[in-house]
């Protein structure tokens, strides 16, 4: 005997059998719930439970115990214990449907010892309506997919920029990327994901990135340059070493172009000459703020960083609904969405 689930904003009702997750049953019955990784790593399927309760076979990586206590659940991992009424928690702008297309490699160049800048050219007739913060999938010949976030706010002349960390043994970043040359074709699906800037949320913003989690945040910040409606912006960017801060000069040149822009690089393996912040980004943030209840947050990096930062923010009074995040996730160890520093 299963349990009934009702989606409060659409009124849709479906039944979840004993061995199914809420998301499994929704997909089986044609009910659309936001989702992406389907293994508890990205947080896209977060829902708020208005009634009922759920359990997990294993507590998911992309949910904190504090979120669970506040009534949030991850639909892709949650099994209902009772009938449930829920609302998808990741509300936001309406996003374009992804399309398959063939992109042409325009440029590959090193940004650091293990991060490359990849520039792709989209077909001229493709109207690529992505939101800064979203990503694309590269489709490999064996059917596998690799996800990379757009680092540019808009396609400039249909060119898109990506920051790609080389993953040891990675089928794309190690096998394919070093051999790519201008003119090569890549099958891609774009746009993907729900991580994006929420213009409707007019609060001071704190962006937190580690490693190439900076890429989607760079896209969002670029979209806000010289915007008179831009709320105050703080950026905490965690990297290992000073040489890894590949966008530092560019960010410093944006100081007068983003409202009250506060850029805080944080190094986990700083050299002796470094006089800036060291350690973990979430700790630097906690040292700088006593109360963050008035802020909105955009987090992108490793699942561990995202989870740890959420816990810090909740402890400082943040509202869960305005913590927007995107974790790098690894589909059975195969996905090369770049690893955070
Ligand atoms: Fe559920 Fe990613 S789809 S956490």
């Amino acid at each position: 005997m299963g349990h009934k689930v009702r989606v409060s904003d659409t009124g849709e009702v479906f039944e979840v059998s004993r061995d199914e997750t809420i998301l499994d049953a929704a997909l089986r019955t044609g009910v659309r719930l936001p989702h992406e990784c389907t293994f508890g790593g990205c947080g896209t399927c977060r829902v708020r439970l208005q009634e009922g309760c759920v359990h997990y076979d294993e507590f998911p990586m992309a949910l904190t115990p504090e979120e669970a206590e506040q009534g949030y659940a991850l639909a892709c991992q949650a099994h209902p214990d009772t009938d449930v009424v829920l609302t998808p928690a990741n509300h936001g702008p309406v996003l374009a449907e992804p399309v398959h297309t063939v992109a042409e490699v325009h440029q590959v160049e090193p940004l650091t010892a293990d991060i490359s800048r990849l520039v792709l050219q989209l077909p001229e007739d493709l109207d690529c309506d992505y939101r800064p913060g979203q990503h694309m999938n590269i489709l490999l010949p064996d059917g596998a997919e690799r996800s990379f976030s757009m680092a540019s706010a808009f396609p400039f002349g249909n060119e898109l920029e990506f920051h790609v960390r080389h993953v040891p043994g990675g089928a794309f970043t190690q096998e394919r990327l070093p051999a790519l040359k201008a003119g090569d074709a890549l099958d891609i699906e774009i746009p993907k994901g729900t991580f994006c800037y929420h213009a409707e949320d007019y609060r001071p913003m704190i962006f937190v990135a580690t490693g190439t989690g900076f890429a989607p945040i760079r896209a969002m910040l670029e979209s806000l340059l010289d915007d008179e409606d831009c709320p105050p912006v703080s950026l905490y960017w965690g990297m290992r070493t000073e040489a890894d801060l590949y966008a530092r000069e560019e960010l410093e040149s944006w100081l007068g172009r983003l409202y009250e822009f506060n850029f805080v690089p944080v190094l986990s393996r700083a050299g002796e000459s470094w006089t800036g912040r060291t350690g973990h980004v979430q700790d630097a943030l906690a040292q700088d703020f006593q109360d963050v209840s008035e802020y909105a947050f955009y987090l992108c990096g490793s699942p561990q960083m995202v989870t740890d930062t959420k816990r810090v923010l909740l402890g400082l009074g943040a509202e869960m609904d305005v913590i927007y995040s995107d974790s790098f996730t690894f589909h059975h160890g195969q996905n090369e969405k770049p690893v955070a520093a």
Side-chain angles (χ1 to χ4, degrees), residues 214 237 242 245-253 263 265 274:
F214 169 68
W237 185 21
E242 196 168 352
L245 293 168
Y246 57 85
R248 186 177 176 188
E249 272 182 32
E250 179 181 53
L251 288 168
E252 287 172 351
S253 78
F263 168 43
W274 177 252

Side-chain angles (χ1 to χ4, degrees), residues 21 50 66 109 127 133 137 158 185 205 211 215 226 231 239 241 254 273 279-280 287 302 317 326:
T21 65
Q50 292 174 313
E66 291 86 347
E109 62 171 6
D127 184 15
N137 284 345
N158 270 24
M205 301 180 291
D226 307 317
M239 276 297 201
T241 68
W254 287 357
S273 60
H280 292 120
Q287 287 158 10
S302 68
D326 194 13

